């Protein structure tokens, strides 16, 4: 009688053990699937980050290029402005010299006119 009960107890323990073993295998399979899915998602995220980083690098290079072009344009504008200022100063100097020459010629011509006027007055009054 004892051995029959003992065998039934052993069978029950064996059945429970096999059930637990089956559950462990199922759990391992689920964990494996979750791990593979997580790895796949992680790899996809890494690829996305790398793609975004590459695009950001391109955008940064384009922005740096635009900044350099803007700096060059500013330098050209400053040079043109400086040239314009120099041209204006030169024009003012030329104008000043022209005005001085005109005054000089007027002074040269004026005494002659005055002398002619004086001569004419002398002739008229005599």
């Amino acid at each position: 009688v004892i051995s029959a009960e003992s065998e039934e107890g052993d069978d029950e323990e064996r059945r429970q053990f096999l059930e637990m073993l089956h559950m462990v295998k199922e759990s391992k399979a689920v964990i494996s699937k979750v791990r593979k899915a997580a790895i796949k998602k992680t790899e996809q995220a890494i690829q996305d980050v790398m793609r975004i980083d590459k695009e950001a690098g391109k955008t940064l290079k384009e922005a740096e290029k635009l900044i350099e072009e803007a700096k060059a344009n500013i330098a050209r504008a400053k040079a043109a402005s400086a040239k314009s200022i120099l041209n204006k100063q030169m024009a003012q100097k030329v104008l000043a010299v022209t005005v001085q020459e005109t005054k000089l010629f007027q002074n040269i011509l004026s005494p002659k006119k005055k002398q002619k006027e004086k001569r004419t007055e002398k002739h008229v009054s005599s």
Side-chain angles (χ1 to χ4, degrees), residues 17-113:
F17 175 75
L18 290 175
E19 250 181 53
M20 290 172 85
L21 186 61
H22 181 71
M23 288 173 55
V24 168
K25 286 181 181 179
E26 284 180 349
S27 295
K28 284 184 177 182
V30 169
I31 289 170
S32 177
K33 286 179 185 178
V34 169
R35 182 181 291 142
K36 286 179 183 177
I39 289 171
K40 188 176 180 180
K41 293 280 185 183
T42 302
E43 288 173 348
Q44 181 69 39
I46 289 170
Q47 289 174 357
D48 290 346
V49 168
M50 289 172 64
R51 180 182 46 78
I52 291 168
D53 186 48
K54 185 177 180 182
E55 290 173 6
K58 284 182 184 177
T59 304
L60 180 62
K61 286 180 184 176
E62 290 171 1
E64 288 172 345
K65 183 179 175 183
L66 290 174
I67 289 170
E68 290 303 315
E69 288 175 10
K71 285 179 181 178
N73 288 339
I74 289 169
R76 281 193 288 275
K78 284 181 178 179
S81 176
K83 186 175 180 180
S84 173
I85 290 169
L86 287 175
N87 287 341
K88 181 180 174 184
Q89 289 173 346
M90 287 295 287
Q92 288 172 339
K93 287 179 182 178
V94 168
L95 181 62
V97 168
T98 304
V99 167
Q100 287 176 346
E101 288 175 348
T102 303
K103 286 181 180 177
L104 182 64
F105 285 126
Q106 285 175 345
N107 288 339
I108 291 172
L109 294 176
S110 288
K112 289 182 180 177
K113 282 185 181 179

